Amino acid sequence: AQKITQTQPGMFVQEKEAVTLDCTYDTSDQSYGLFWYKQPSSGEMIFLIYQGSYDEQNATEGRYSLNFQKARKSANLVISASQLGDSAMYFCAIAGNDNDMRFGAGTRLTVKP
Amino acid sequence: AAGVIQSPRHLIKEKRETATLKCYPIPRHDTVYWYQQGPGQDPQFLISFYEKMQSDKGSIPDRFSAQQFSDYHSELNMSSLELGDSALYFCASSLGSGSDYNEQFFGPGTRLTVL
């Protein structure tokens, strides 16, 4: 079984600054995948970034990077140069051998002008 | 690029009624997942299908059933609806299943309200 913990219910960041959203996980699977999704107020789920458990390098996608620390079982999302449009709910998720995704409780990010 | 299509986008039902949600995966995707997201909650995995066969089952109530058809679209059938079934229902699709952690592409969701 997999479990995701996001300890920050809400975060504020000033526009153009960087922000880190925390995510820790627990799994008994030897190999797994970690995902971050963005959910704006419209409700859609937007894929941001993916990290495989055997990937040695941290994943990056544009302004998004994943700080993967396997020994600590953490997969924090870093958003650089925050924009007003980044204000949304952010979910960390894990998929194990069954490939079914388990989500954390989410972090609501608010970018202040 | 084609995305996952879900219909209807909004649905209002009364208690004890039935509802059917439809999901059309991205072309050539063979795996479909259903998730339920209650108000203020994170999405909860319900059930998944790979190549028209059920591949995994999560917290899907016995009142719900689902299937994947020959054209890979999927339907979630919900009977004896309860107030607590009011939620956003997401369908996601991916290519392949098994040990690969294939990116799941989410549809826009169907917002079900049970009165």
Side-chain angles (χ1 to χ4, degrees), chain A residues 31-32 37 39 43 45 47 91 95-104, chain B residues 33 35 37 41-43 45 48 56 88 90 96 98 100-104 106:
Chain A
S31 60
Y32 46 89
Y37 285 85
Q39 187 176 42
M45 293 288 279
F47 167 77
F91 289 99
N97 291 334
D98 57 10
N99 209 34
D100 303 321
M101 208 167 285
R102 302 292 188 268
F103 289 82
Chain B
Y33 310 80
Y35 295 87
Q37 186 179 22
Q41 310 270 320
D42 54 292
F45 168 70
S48 61
D56 200 14
L88 189 56
F90 285 105
D100 294 322
Y101 312 105
N102 305 299
E103 177 187 339
Q104 294 183 24
F106 280 76

PDB file of all heavy atoms in Angstrom, chain A residues 31-32 37 39 43 45 47 91 95-104, chain B residues 33 35 37 41-43 45 48 56 88 90 96 98 100-104 106:
ATOM      1  N   SER A  31       9.756  -0.341  -6.463  1.00  0.00           N
ATOM      2  CA  SER A  31       9.770   0.680  -7.507  1.00  0.00           C
ATOM      3  C   SER A  31       8.399   1.339  -7.577  1.00  0.00           C
ATOM      4  O   SER A  31       7.368   0.682  -7.385  1.00  0.00           O
ATOM      5  CB  SER A  31      10.162   0.079  -8.855  1.00  0.00           C
ATOM      6  OG  SER A  31       9.248  -0.916  -9.224  1.00  0.00           O
ATOM      7  N   TYR A  32       8.423   2.620  -7.830  1.00  0.00           N
ATOM      8  CA  TYR A  32       7.193   3.406  -7.797  1.00  0.00           C
ATOM      9  C   TYR A  32       7.429   4.705  -8.554  1.00  0.00           C
ATOM     10  O   TYR A  32       8.561   5.044  -8.916  1.00  0.00           O
ATOM     11  CB  TYR A  32       6.765   3.698  -6.349  1.00  0.00           C
ATOM     12  CG  TYR A  32       7.904   4.175  -5.472  1.00  0.00           C
ATOM     13  CD1 TYR A  32       8.219   5.532  -5.371  1.00  0.00           C
ATOM     14  CD2 TYR A  32       8.686   3.267  -4.757  1.00  0.00           C
ATOM     15  CE1 TYR A  32       9.275   5.952  -4.596  1.00  0.00           C
ATOM     16  CE2 TYR A  32       9.747   3.687  -3.983  1.00  0.00           C
ATOM     17  CZ  TYR A  32      10.040   5.030  -3.900  1.00  0.00           C
ATOM     18  OH  TYR A  32      11.095   5.445  -3.125  1.00  0.00           O
ATOM     19  N   TYR A  37       0.317  17.114  -9.357  1.00  0.00           N
ATOM     20  CA  TYR A  37      -0.764  17.646 -10.172  1.00  0.00           C
ATOM     21  C   TYR A  37      -1.185  18.993  -9.606  1.00  0.00           C
ATOM     22  O   TYR A  37      -1.158  19.220  -8.401  1.00  0.00           O
ATOM     23  CB  TYR A  37      -1.979  16.705 -10.171  1.00  0.00           C
ATOM     24  CG  TYR A  37      -1.809  15.474 -11.024  1.00  0.00           C
ATOM     25  CD1 TYR A  37      -1.186  14.337 -10.526  1.00  0.00           C
ATOM     26  CD2 TYR A  37      -2.266  15.451 -12.329  1.00  0.00           C
ATOM     27  CE1 TYR A  37      -1.023  13.206 -11.313  1.00  0.00           C
ATOM     28  CE2 TYR A  37      -2.115  14.321 -13.127  1.00  0.00           C
ATOM     29  CZ  TYR A  37      -1.491  13.208 -12.606  1.00  0.00           C
ATOM     30  OH  TYR A  37      -1.332  12.088 -13.392  1.00  0.00           O
ATOM     31  N   GLN A  39      -4.447  21.615  -9.439  1.00  0.00           N
ATOM     32  CA  GLN A  39      -5.895  21.692  -9.627  1.00  0.00           C
ATOM     33  C   GLN A  39      -6.365  23.121  -9.377  1.00  0.00           C
ATOM     34  O   GLN A  39      -6.515  23.560  -8.234  1.00  0.00           O
ATOM     35  CB  GLN A  39      -6.633  20.724  -8.696  1.00  0.00           C
ATOM     36  CG  GLN A  39      -8.134  20.647  -8.983  1.00  0.00           C
ATOM     37  CD  GLN A  39      -8.851  19.608  -8.134  1.00  0.00           C
ATOM     38  OE1 GLN A  39      -8.603  19.473  -6.947  1.00  0.00           O
ATOM     39  NE2 GLN A  39      -9.762  18.865  -8.766  1.00  0.00           N
ATOM     40  N   GLY A  43     -11.320  23.061 -11.331  1.00  0.00           N
ATOM     41  CA  GLY A  43     -11.476  21.651 -10.975  1.00  0.00           C
ATOM     42  C   GLY A  43     -10.672  20.672 -11.802  1.00  0.00           C
ATOM     43  O   GLY A  43     -10.538  19.508 -11.413  1.00  0.00           O
ATOM     44  N   MET A  45      -7.587  18.555 -13.369  1.00  0.00           N
ATOM     45  CA  MET A  45      -6.329  18.057 -12.814  1.00  0.00           C
ATOM     46  C   MET A  45      -5.261  18.157 -13.895  1.00  0.00           C
ATOM     47  O   MET A  45      -5.374  17.520 -14.937  1.00  0.00           O
ATOM     48  CB  MET A  45      -6.473  16.596 -12.363  1.00  0.00           C
ATOM     49  CG  MET A  45      -7.388  16.394 -11.196  1.00  0.00           C
ATOM     50  SD  MET A  45      -6.673  16.986  -9.656  1.00  0.00           S
ATOM     51  CE  MET A  45      -5.614  15.614  -9.237  1.00  0.00           C
ATOM     52  N   PHE A  47      -1.381  17.645 -14.991  1.00  0.00           N
ATOM     53  CA  PHE A  47      -0.122  16.978 -14.680  1.00  0.00           C
ATOM     54  C   PHE A  47       1.025  17.985 -14.766  1.00  0.00           C
ATOM     55  O   PHE A  47       1.126  18.762 -15.714  1.00  0.00           O
ATOM     56  CB  PHE A  47       0.115  15.832 -15.659  1.00  0.00           C
ATOM     57  CG  PHE A  47       1.513  15.287 -15.619  1.00  0.00           C
ATOM     58  CD1 PHE A  47       1.899  14.456 -14.588  1.00  0.00           C
ATOM     59  CD2 PHE A  47       2.429  15.617 -16.599  1.00  0.00           C
ATOM     60  CE1 PHE A  47       3.187  13.951 -14.540  1.00  0.00           C
ATOM     61  CE2 PHE A  47       3.707  15.117 -16.570  1.00  0.00           C
ATOM     62  CZ  PHE A  47       4.095  14.287 -15.537  1.00  0.00           C
ATOM     63  N   PHE A  91      -1.500  18.678  -5.679  1.00  0.00           N
ATOM     64  CA  PHE A  91      -1.551  17.342  -5.115  1.00  0.00           C
ATOM     65  C   PHE A  91      -0.296  16.569  -5.485  1.00  0.00           C
ATOM     66  O   PHE A  91       0.121  16.544  -6.646  1.00  0.00           O
ATOM     67  CB  PHE A  91      -2.773  16.566  -5.631  1.00  0.00           C
ATOM     68  CG  PHE A  91      -4.085  17.051  -5.094  1.00  0.00           C
ATOM     69  CD1 PHE A  91      -4.883  17.897  -5.851  1.00  0.00           C
ATOM     70  CD2 PHE A  91      -4.521  16.671  -3.836  1.00  0.00           C
ATOM     71  CE1 PHE A  91      -6.108  18.353  -5.357  1.00  0.00           C
ATOM     72  CE2 PHE A  91      -5.737  17.118  -3.343  1.00  0.00           C
ATOM     73  CZ  PHE A  91      -6.527  17.956  -4.101  1.00  0.00           C
ATOM     74  N   ALA A  95       2.266   6.177  -7.400  1.00  0.00           N
ATOM     75  CA  ALA A  95       1.736   4.968  -8.038  1.00  0.00           C
ATOM     76  C   ALA A  95       2.750   3.853  -7.834  1.00  0.00           C
ATOM     77  O   ALA A  95       3.927   4.026  -8.125  1.00  0.00           O
ATOM     78  CB  ALA A  95       1.489   5.206  -9.522  1.00  0.00           C
ATOM     79  N   GLY A  96       2.282   2.729  -7.326  1.00  0.00           N
ATOM     80  CA  GLY A  96       3.162   1.601  -7.084  1.00  0.00           C
ATOM     81  C   GLY A  96       3.005   0.549  -8.156  1.00  0.00           C
ATOM     82  O   GLY A  96       2.696   0.855  -9.311  1.00  0.00           O
ATOM     83  N   ASN A  97       3.201  -0.683  -7.775  1.00  0.00           N
ATOM     84  CA  ASN A  97       3.153  -1.775  -8.752  1.00  0.00           C
ATOM     85  C   ASN A  97       1.809  -1.877  -9.456  1.00  0.00           C
ATOM     86  O   ASN A  97       1.730  -2.322 -10.599  1.00  0.00           O
ATOM     87  CB  ASN A  97       3.473  -3.105  -8.055  1.00  0.00           C
ATOM     88  CG  ASN A  97       4.928  -3.170  -7.633  1.00  0.00           C
ATOM     89  OD1 ASN A  97       5.776  -2.520  -8.215  1.00  0.00           O
ATOM     90  ND2 ASN A  97       5.201  -3.943  -6.592  1.00  0.00           N
ATOM     91  N   ASP A  98       0.756  -1.500  -8.764  1.00  0.00           N
ATOM     92  CA  ASP A  98      -0.570  -1.599  -9.380  1.00  0.00           C
ATOM     93  C   ASP A  98      -0.862  -0.419 -10.288  1.00  0.00           C
ATOM     94  O   ASP A  98      -1.887  -0.406 -10.970  1.00  0.00           O
ATOM     95  CB  ASP A  98      -1.657  -1.712  -8.306  1.00  0.00           C
ATOM     96  CG  ASP A  98      -1.635  -0.555  -7.316  1.00  0.00           C
ATOM     97  OD1 ASP A  98      -0.923   0.437  -7.549  1.00  0.00           O
ATOM     98  OD2 ASP A  98      -2.330  -0.654  -6.286  1.00  0.00           O
ATOM     99  N   ASN A  99       0.011   0.578 -10.279  1.00  0.00           N
ATOM    100  CA  ASN A  99      -0.130   1.769 -11.130  1.00  0.00           C
ATOM    101  C   ASN A  99      -1.340   2.628 -10.783  1.00  0.00           C
ATOM    102  O   ASN A  99      -1.641   3.571 -11.484  1.00  0.00           O
ATOM    103  CB  ASN A  99      -0.175   1.393 -12.619  1.00  0.00           C
ATOM    104  CG  ASN A  99       0.384   2.517 -13.495  1.00  0.00           C
ATOM    105  OD1 ASN A  99       1.299   3.219 -13.104  1.00  0.00           O
ATOM    106  ND2 ASN A  99      -0.195   2.701 -14.664  1.00  0.00           N
ATOM    107  N   ASP A 100      -2.036   2.294  -9.708  1.00  0.00           N
ATOM    108  CA  ASP A 100      -3.152   3.129  -9.292  1.00  0.00           C
ATOM    109  C   ASP A 100      -2.619   4.228  -8.391  1.00  0.00           C
ATOM    110  O   ASP A 100      -1.751   4.008  -7.571  1.00  0.00           O
ATOM    111  CB  ASP A 100      -4.200   2.301  -8.548  1.00  0.00           C
ATOM    112  CG  ASP A 100      -4.705   1.149  -9.390  1.00  0.00           C
ATOM    113  OD1 ASP A 100      -4.896   1.332 -10.601  1.00  0.00           O
ATOM    114  OD2 ASP A 100      -4.889   0.056  -8.818  1.00  0.00           O
ATOM    115  N   MET A 101      -3.149   5.399  -8.575  1.00  0.00           N
ATOM    116  CA  MET A 101      -2.581   6.574  -7.934  1.00  0.00           C
ATOM    117  C   MET A 101      -3.224   6.849  -6.584  1.00  0.00           C
ATOM    118  O   MET A 101      -4.445   6.788  -6.452  1.00  0.00           O
ATOM    119  CB  MET A 101      -2.750   7.769  -8.861  1.00  0.00           C
ATOM    120  CG  MET A 101      -1.718   8.829  -8.685  1.00  0.00           C
ATOM    121  SD  MET A 101      -1.769   9.999 -10.054  1.00  0.00           S
ATOM    122  CE  MET A 101      -1.003   9.044 -11.324  1.00  0.00           C
ATOM    123  N   ARG A 102      -2.392   7.162  -5.616  1.00  0.00           N
ATOM    124  CA  ARG A 102      -2.872   7.592  -4.302  1.00  0.00           C
ATOM    125  C   ARG A 102      -2.419   9.026  -4.105  1.00  0.00           C
ATOM    126  O   ARG A 102      -1.242   9.338  -4.295  1.00  0.00           O
ATOM    127  CB  ARG A 102      -2.321   6.697  -3.192  1.00  0.00           C
ATOM    128  CG  ARG A 102      -2.671   5.223  -3.340  1.00  0.00           C
ATOM    129  CD  ARG A 102      -4.149   4.962  -3.153  1.00  0.00           C
ATOM    130  NE  ARG A 102      -4.463   3.536  -3.113  1.00  0.00           N
ATOM    131  CZ  ARG A 102      -4.802   2.799  -4.146  1.00  0.00           C
ATOM    132  NH1 ARG A 102      -4.857   3.353  -5.349  1.00  0.00           N
ATOM    133  NH2 ARG A 102      -5.078   1.523  -4.009  1.00  0.00           N
ATOM    134  N   PHE A 103      -3.358   9.872  -3.703  1.00  0.00           N
ATOM    135  CA  PHE A 103      -3.083  11.297  -3.587  1.00  0.00           C
ATOM    136  C   PHE A 103      -2.896  11.719  -2.134  1.00  0.00           C
ATOM    137  O   PHE A 103      -3.450  11.110  -1.222  1.00  0.00           O
ATOM    138  CB  PHE A 103      -4.237  12.107  -4.182  1.00  0.00           C
ATOM    139  CG  PHE A 103      -4.338  12.029  -5.681  1.00  0.00           C
ATOM    140  CD1 PHE A 103      -4.957  10.957  -6.294  1.00  0.00           C
ATOM    141  CD2 PHE A 103      -3.815  13.029  -6.474  1.00  0.00           C
ATOM    142  CE1 PHE A 103      -5.045  10.877  -7.676  1.00  0.00           C
ATOM    143  CE2 PHE A 103      -3.902  12.966  -7.861  1.00  0.00           C
ATOM    144  CZ  PHE A 103      -4.518  11.885  -8.461  1.00  0.00           C
ATOM    145  N   GLY A 104      -2.140  12.804  -1.940  1.00  0.00           N
ATOM    146  CA  GLY A 104      -2.085  13.448  -0.643  1.00  0.00           C
ATOM    147  C   GLY A 104      -3.271  14.372  -0.475  1.00  0.00           C
ATOM    148  O   GLY A 104      -4.100  14.523  -1.376  1.00  0.00           O
TER     149      GLY A 104
ATOM    150  N   TYR B  33      -8.849   4.840 -15.500  1.00  0.00           N
ATOM    151  CA  TYR B  33      -8.956   4.892 -14.041  1.00  0.00           C
ATOM    152  C   TYR B  33     -10.116   5.805 -13.673  1.00  0.00           C
ATOM    153  O   TYR B  33     -10.348   6.813 -14.333  1.00  0.00           O
ATOM    154  CB  TYR B  33      -7.685   5.485 -13.421  1.00  0.00           C
ATOM    155  CG  TYR B  33      -6.393   4.873 -13.893  1.00  0.00           C
ATOM    156  CD1 TYR B  33      -5.833   5.249 -15.115  1.00  0.00           C
ATOM    157  CD2 TYR B  33      -5.719   3.933 -13.119  1.00  0.00           C
ATOM    158  CE1 TYR B  33      -4.635   4.706 -15.550  1.00  0.00           C
ATOM    159  CE2 TYR B  33      -4.512   3.395 -13.551  1.00  0.00           C
ATOM    160  CZ  TYR B  33      -3.987   3.777 -14.766  1.00  0.00           C
ATOM    161  OH  TYR B  33      -2.807   3.229 -15.189  1.00  0.00           O
ATOM    162  N   TYR B  35     -11.691   8.096 -10.404  1.00  0.00           N
ATOM    163  CA  TYR B  35     -11.417   8.677  -9.097  1.00  0.00           C
ATOM    164  C   TYR B  35     -12.633   9.477  -8.650  1.00  0.00           C
ATOM    165  O   TYR B  35     -13.348  10.061  -9.462  1.00  0.00           O
ATOM    166  CB  TYR B  35     -10.208   9.620  -9.151  1.00  0.00           C
ATOM    167  CG  TYR B  35      -8.901   8.945  -9.481  1.00  0.00           C
ATOM    168  CD1 TYR B  35      -8.517   8.766 -10.808  1.00  0.00           C
ATOM    169  CD2 TYR B  35      -8.059   8.488  -8.474  1.00  0.00           C
ATOM    170  CE1 TYR B  35      -7.315   8.138 -11.118  1.00  0.00           C
ATOM    171  CE2 TYR B  35      -6.850   7.865  -8.777  1.00  0.00           C
ATOM    172  CZ  TYR B  35      -6.493   7.698 -10.100  1.00  0.00           C
ATOM    173  OH  TYR B  35      -5.313   7.075 -10.400  1.00  0.00           O
ATOM    174  N   GLN B  37     -13.618  12.645  -6.030  1.00  0.00           N
ATOM    175  CA  GLN B  37     -13.085  13.723  -5.189  1.00  0.00           C
ATOM    176  C   GLN B  37     -14.237  14.445  -4.517  1.00  0.00           C
ATOM    177  O   GLN B  37     -14.962  15.219  -5.150  1.00  0.00           O
ATOM    178  CB  GLN B  37     -12.235  14.695  -6.012  1.00  0.00           C
ATOM    179  CG  GLN B  37     -11.543  15.739  -5.148  1.00  0.00           C
ATOM    180  CD  GLN B  37     -10.679  16.689  -5.962  1.00  0.00           C
ATOM    181  OE1 GLN B  37     -10.875  16.862  -7.147  1.00  0.00           O
ATOM    182  NE2 GLN B  37      -9.686  17.306  -5.314  1.00  0.00           N
ATOM    183  N   GLN B  41     -11.694  17.445  -0.560  1.00  0.00           N
ATOM    184  CA  GLN B  41     -10.936  16.204  -0.345  1.00  0.00           C
ATOM    185  C   GLN B  41      -9.947  15.977  -1.484  1.00  0.00           C
ATOM    186  O   GLN B  41     -10.006  16.627  -2.518  1.00  0.00           O
ATOM    187  CB  GLN B  41     -11.904  15.009  -0.310  1.00  0.00           C
ATOM    188  CG  GLN B  41     -13.083  15.172   0.616  1.00  0.00           C
ATOM    189  CD  GLN B  41     -12.783  14.658   1.988  1.00  0.00           C
ATOM    190  OE1 GLN B  41     -12.151  13.627   2.144  1.00  0.00           O
ATOM    191  NE2 GLN B  41     -13.209  15.393   2.996  1.00  0.00           N
ATOM    192  N   ASP B  42      -9.046  15.029  -1.256  1.00  0.00           N
ATOM    193  CA  ASP B  42      -8.169  14.623  -2.351  1.00  0.00           C
ATOM    194  C   ASP B  42      -8.867  13.521  -3.143  1.00  0.00           C
ATOM    195  O   ASP B  42      -9.763  12.851  -2.634  1.00  0.00           O
ATOM    196  CB  ASP B  42      -6.830  14.106  -1.793  1.00  0.00           C
ATOM    197  CG  ASP B  42      -7.021  13.009  -0.771  1.00  0.00           C
ATOM    198  OD1 ASP B  42      -7.540  13.315   0.326  1.00  0.00           O
ATOM    199  OD2 ASP B  42      -6.669  11.859  -1.077  1.00  0.00           O
ATOM    200  N   PRO B  43      -8.476  13.342  -4.391  1.00  0.00           N
ATOM    201  CA  PRO B  43      -9.104  12.292  -5.208  1.00  0.00           C
ATOM    202  C   PRO B  43      -8.836  10.908  -4.615  1.00  0.00           C
ATOM    203  O   PRO B  43      -7.734  10.610  -4.177  1.00  0.00           O
ATOM    204  CB  PRO B  43      -8.430  12.451  -6.571  1.00  0.00           C
ATOM    205  CG  PRO B  43      -7.885  13.844  -6.575  1.00  0.00           C
ATOM    206  CD  PRO B  43      -7.508  14.129  -5.152  1.00  0.00           C
ATOM    207  N   PHE B  45      -9.036   6.809  -5.413  1.00  0.00           N
ATOM    208  CA  PHE B  45      -9.098   5.845  -6.485  1.00  0.00           C
ATOM    209  C   PHE B  45     -10.290   4.903  -6.295  1.00  0.00           C
ATOM    210  O   PHE B  45     -10.499   4.362  -5.208  1.00  0.00           O
ATOM    211  CB  PHE B  45      -7.789   5.041  -6.532  1.00  0.00           C
ATOM    212  CG  PHE B  45      -7.841   3.831  -7.412  1.00  0.00           C
ATOM    213  CD1 PHE B  45      -7.894   3.968  -8.788  1.00  0.00           C
ATOM    214  CD2 PHE B  45      -7.853   2.563  -6.869  1.00  0.00           C
ATOM    215  CE1 PHE B  45      -7.955   2.864  -9.602  1.00  0.00           C
ATOM    216  CE2 PHE B  45      -7.904   1.446  -7.677  1.00  0.00           C
ATOM    217  CZ  PHE B  45      -7.961   1.595  -9.052  1.00  0.00           C
ATOM    218  N   SER B  48      -9.970   0.570 -11.856  1.00  0.00           N
ATOM    219  CA  SER B  48      -9.234   0.763 -13.103  1.00  0.00           C
ATOM    220  C   SER B  48      -9.437  -0.435 -14.021  1.00  0.00           C
ATOM    221  O   SER B  48      -9.749  -1.547 -13.566  1.00  0.00           O
ATOM    222  CB  SER B  48      -7.749   0.977 -12.830  1.00  0.00           C
ATOM    223  OG  SER B  48      -7.179  -0.153 -12.189  1.00  0.00           O
ATOM    224  N   ASP B  56      -7.695  -3.219 -11.169  1.00  0.00           N
ATOM    225  CA  ASP B  56      -7.543  -2.985  -9.745  1.00  0.00           C
ATOM    226  C   ASP B  56      -8.808  -2.326  -9.207  1.00  0.00           C
ATOM    227  O   ASP B  56      -9.550  -1.691  -9.958  1.00  0.00           O
ATOM    228  CB  ASP B  56      -6.331  -2.104  -9.447  1.00  0.00           C
ATOM    229  CG  ASP B  56      -5.864  -2.233  -8.007  1.00  0.00           C
ATOM    230  OD1 ASP B  56      -6.298  -3.183  -7.316  1.00  0.00           O
ATOM    231  OD2 ASP B  56      -5.065  -1.396  -7.560  1.00  0.00           O
ATOM    232  N   LEU B  88     -16.845  15.257  -7.368  1.00  0.00           N
ATOM    233  CA  LEU B  88     -16.290  15.394  -8.707  1.00  0.00           C
ATOM    234  C   LEU B  88     -15.693  14.038  -9.075  1.00  0.00           C
ATOM    235  O   LEU B  88     -14.886  13.493  -8.311  1.00  0.00           O
ATOM    236  CB  LEU B  88     -15.217  16.487  -8.702  1.00  0.00           C
ATOM    237  CG  LEU B  88     -14.618  16.968 -10.017  1.00  0.00           C
ATOM    238  CD1 LEU B  88     -15.697  17.452 -10.963  1.00  0.00           C
ATOM    239  CD2 LEU B  88     -13.619  18.086  -9.741  1.00  0.00           C
ATOM    240  N   PHE B  90     -13.478  11.926 -11.577  1.00  0.00           N
ATOM    241  CA  PHE B  90     -12.479  12.029 -12.631  1.00  0.00           C
ATOM    242  C   PHE B  90     -12.267  10.685 -13.281  1.00  0.00           C
ATOM    243  O   PHE B  90     -12.248   9.643 -12.629  1.00  0.00           O
ATOM    244  CB  PHE B  90     -11.130  12.483 -12.065  1.00  0.00           C
ATOM    245  CG  PHE B  90     -11.055  13.922 -11.710  1.00  0.00           C
ATOM    246  CD1 PHE B  90     -11.082  14.323 -10.388  1.00  0.00           C
ATOM    247  CD2 PHE B  90     -10.941  14.887 -12.696  1.00  0.00           C
ATOM    248  CE1 PHE B  90     -11.002  15.664 -10.049  1.00  0.00           C
ATOM    249  CE2 PHE B  90     -10.856  16.226 -12.366  1.00  0.00           C
ATOM    250  CZ  PHE B  90     -10.893  16.620 -11.042  1.00  0.00           C
ATOM    251  N   GLY B  96      -0.865   1.547 -21.461  1.00  0.00           N
ATOM    252  CA  GLY B  96      -0.162   0.461 -20.812  1.00  0.00           C
ATOM    253  C   GLY B  96      -0.424   0.412 -19.334  1.00  0.00           C
ATOM    254  O   GLY B  96      -0.917   1.355 -18.725  1.00  0.00           O
ATOM    255  N   GLY B  98       0.664  -2.294 -15.597  1.00  0.00           N
ATOM    256  CA  GLY B  98       1.688  -3.185 -15.074  1.00  0.00           C
ATOM    257  C   GLY B  98       2.717  -2.418 -14.286  1.00  0.00           C
ATOM    258  O   GLY B  98       2.387  -1.562 -13.480  1.00  0.00           O
ATOM    259  N   ASP B 100       5.015  -0.289 -15.278  1.00  0.00           N
ATOM    260  CA  ASP B 100       5.431   1.037 -15.729  1.00  0.00           C
ATOM    261  C   ASP B 100       4.542   2.095 -15.105  1.00  0.00           C
ATOM    262  O   ASP B 100       3.336   1.931 -14.998  1.00  0.00           O
ATOM    263  CB  ASP B 100       5.330   1.148 -17.255  1.00  0.00           C
ATOM    264  CG  ASP B 100       6.332   0.230 -17.937  1.00  0.00           C
ATOM    265  OD1 ASP B 100       7.443   0.117 -17.423  1.00  0.00           O
ATOM    266  OD2 ASP B 100       5.960  -0.377 -18.940  1.00  0.00           O
ATOM    267  N   TYR B 101       5.133   3.187 -14.679  1.00  0.00           N
ATOM    268  CA  TYR B 101       4.356   4.245 -14.047  1.00  0.00           C
ATOM    269  C   TYR B 101       3.990   5.242 -15.117  1.00  0.00           C
ATOM    270  O   TYR B 101       4.602   6.281 -15.259  1.00  0.00           O
ATOM    271  CB  TYR B 101       5.142   4.848 -12.880  1.00  0.00           C
ATOM    272  CG  TYR B 101       5.663   3.715 -12.046  1.00  0.00           C
ATOM    273  CD1 TYR B 101       6.987   3.367 -12.093  1.00  0.00           C
ATOM    274  CD2 TYR B 101       4.782   2.950 -11.319  1.00  0.00           C
ATOM    275  CE1 TYR B 101       7.434   2.271 -11.383  1.00  0.00           C
ATOM    276  CE2 TYR B 101       5.229   1.849 -10.612  1.00  0.00           C
ATOM    277  CZ  TYR B 101       6.554   1.511 -10.648  1.00  0.00           C
ATOM    278  OH  TYR B 101       7.003   0.433  -9.960  1.00  0.00           O
ATOM    279  N   ASN B 102       2.991   4.845 -15.864  1.00  0.00           N
ATOM    280  CA  ASN B 102       2.610   5.650 -16.997  1.00  0.00           C
ATOM    281  C   ASN B 102       1.824   6.854 -16.539  1.00  0.00           C
ATOM    282  O   ASN B 102       0.955   6.771 -15.705  1.00  0.00           O
ATOM    283  CB  ASN B 102       1.778   4.814 -17.962  1.00  0.00           C
ATOM    284  CG  ASN B 102       2.504   3.552 -18.366  1.00  0.00           C
ATOM    285  OD1 ASN B 102       3.568   3.610 -18.949  1.00  0.00           O
ATOM    286  ND2 ASN B 102       1.937   2.405 -18.028  1.00  0.00           N
ATOM    287  N   GLU B 103       2.150   7.988 -17.174  1.00  0.00           N
ATOM    288  CA  GLU B 103       1.463   9.226 -16.831  1.00  0.00           C
ATOM    289  C   GLU B 103      -0.024   9.067 -17.094  1.00  0.00           C
ATOM    290  O   GLU B 103      -0.434   8.599 -18.156  1.00  0.00           O
ATOM    291  CB  GLU B 103       2.011  10.366 -17.670  1.00  0.00           C
ATOM    292  CG  GLU B 103       1.312  11.697 -17.448  1.00  0.00           C
ATOM    293  CD  GLU B 103       1.781  12.746 -18.425  1.00  0.00           C
ATOM    294  OE1 GLU B 103       2.879  12.586 -18.970  1.00  0.00           O
ATOM    295  OE2 GLU B 103       1.034  13.717 -18.646  1.00  0.00           O
ATOM    296  N   GLN B 104      -0.817   9.427 -16.123  1.00  0.00           N
ATOM    297  CA  GLN B 104      -2.264   9.392 -16.257  1.00  0.00           C
ATOM    298  C   GLN B 104      -2.745  10.772 -16.663  1.00  0.00           C
ATOM    299  O   GLN B 104      -2.440  11.763 -16.008  1.00  0.00           O
ATOM    300  CB  GLN B 104      -2.906   8.961 -14.945  1.00  0.00           C
ATOM    301  CG  GLN B 104      -2.578   7.529 -14.556  1.00  0.00           C
ATOM    302  CD  GLN B 104      -3.271   7.094 -13.293  1.00  0.00           C
ATOM    303  OE1 GLN B 104      -4.310   7.638 -12.910  1.00  0.00           O
ATOM    304  NE2 GLN B 104      -2.718   6.108 -12.625  1.00  0.00           N
ATOM    305  N   PHE B 106      -5.800  13.185 -17.019  1.00  0.00           N
ATOM    306  CA  PHE B 106      -7.116  13.318 -16.404  1.00  0.00           C
ATOM    307  C   PHE B 106      -8.095  14.032 -17.326  1.00  0.00           C
ATOM    308  O   PHE B 106      -7.723  14.969 -18.049  1.00  0.00           O
ATOM    309  CB  PHE B 106      -7.009  14.084 -15.088  1.00  0.00           C
ATOM    310  CG  PHE B 106      -6.535  13.235 -13.936  1.00  0.00           C
ATOM    311  CD1 PHE B 106      -5.205  12.892 -13.819  1.00  0.00           C
ATOM    312  CD2 PHE B 106      -7.426  12.777 -12.986  1.00  0.00           C
ATOM    313  CE1 PHE B 106      -4.761  12.100 -12.765  1.00  0.00           C
ATOM    314  CE2 PHE B 106      -6.992  11.981 -11.929  1.00  0.00           C
ATOM    315  CZ  PHE B 106      -5.663  11.648 -11.819  1.00  0.00           C
TER     316      PHE B 106
END
